[in-house]
Amino acid sequence: MENNGQPTRQAGLSRKTNETDIKLSLTVDGSGQAELETDVPFLNHMLDLFTKHGQFDLSVQARGDIEIDDHHTVEDIGICLGQALREALGDKKGIKRYASVFVPMDEALAQVIIDISNRPHFEYRAEYPSQQVGSFSTEMVHEFLWKFALEARLTLHVIVHYGFNTHHMIEAVFKALGRALDEATAIDPRVKGVPSTKGVL
């Protein structure tokens, strides 16, 4: 398949462990369509926002040992999403590579900075007023983002500048992540080959 003369950048994978069973597919050049079935409702909501704001197509079917807690399911979805993104981008020829996006959500402001560098690194600056949003532990945001960055081999910086509603603060992060990835993965016709003096990413 092609998209505006470019091959469609997409990938799908499955991951089954003693703790989780996940099927995930990602189309980078999508239209914001999300099909999400996981045992973690708050993560469904965040992934829906990520997909819509990134103009991706994302399908996730995930079951996990939530009778223990959400940790394994959230972590493994982050792993799968990162692996799918890395595979979908292929040799990364022609991409913009970098992006920095601010997103407000009412009183909250989040910033996501990305370098599709093939050097996984994660910096996270966020202090949330509450440790839970419904049944979802806010520490799972760090776990998801770190595993996503690691498997996608991104340099990812996430900063929540301020806010007092934890839901709004996390929502701003996922919207900004989608928009920053959309920008960084966009094809720039001026870029010949990969955007690196090394000649490879």
Side-chain angles (χ1 to χ4, degrees):
M1 286 180 73
E2 292 198 350
N3 181 59
N4 295 326
Q6 296 282 342
T8 299
R9 295 176 296 173
Q10 57 188 5
L13 53 87
S14 298
R15 175 183 171 89
K16 186 175 177 61
T17 72
N18 291 334
E19 299 162 342
T20 61
D21 185 357
I22 297 169
K23 294 180 178 64
L24 183 148
S25 66
L26 172 70
T27 301
V28 174
D29 308 300
S31 57
Q33 300 299 309
E35 296 180 6
L36 307 169
E37 296 179 29
T38 86
D39 294 325
V40 188
F42 186 75
L43 184 62
N44 286 346
H45 179 36
M46 293 302 107
L47 290 175
D48 186 45
L49 296 169
F50 163 80
T51 304
K52 295 283 194 303
H53 285 266
Q55 289 297 299
F56 310 123
D57 290 339
L58 177 64
S59 173
V60 182
Q61 292 179 300
R63 294 290 173 263
D65 54 357
I66 60 166
E67 68 280 1
I68 297 173
D69 66 11
D70 295 342
H71 184 281
H72 297 138
T73 304
V74 174
E75 178 183 35
D76 284 7
I77 291 172
I79 288 170
C80 290
L81 184 60
Q83 290 174 345
L85 178 65
R86 186 181 180 199
E87 182 180 336
L89 291 180
D91 59 16
K92 306 179 187 68
K93 287 182 179 177
I95 64 168
K96 289 187 175 181
R97 176 177 168 178
Y98 293 98
S100 176
V101 171
F102 286 88
V103 166
M105 175 62 196
D106 294 353
E107 86 299 338
L109 181 67
Q111 182 183 16
V112 171
I113 306 100
I114 287 175
D115 175 12
I116 303 176
S117 60
N118 202 34
R119 296 190 306 276
H121 186 85
F122 182 48
E123 293 289 338
Y124 189 58
R125 305 286 184 269
E127 294 184 12
Y128 299 112
S130 62
Q131 295 182 342
Q132 298 280 135
V133 178
S135 62
F136 186 84
S137 171
T138 57
E139 70 180 15
M140 290 295 95
V141 178
H142 178 283
E143 193 66 30
F144 176 87
L145 294 171
W146 163 227
K147 294 303 165 56
F148 170 66
L150 182 66
E151 295 296 334
R153 300 191 63 83
L154 305 174
T155 297
L156 176 62
H157 292 241
V158 174
I159 306 165
V160 180
H161 290 281
Y162 46 78
F164 58 77
N165 181 297
T166 300
H167 186 134
H168 291 170
M169 295 162 78
I170 297 171
E171 184 166 324
V173 167
F174 276 83
K175 288 177 176 177
L177 178 64
R179 287 180 173 271
L181 266 177
D182 181 41
E183 184 177 330
T185 60
I187 299 295
D188 185 338
R190 299 170 299 173
V191 176
K192 308 304 178 188
V194 297
S196 172
T197 55
K198 294 181 175 69
V200 66
L201 282 173

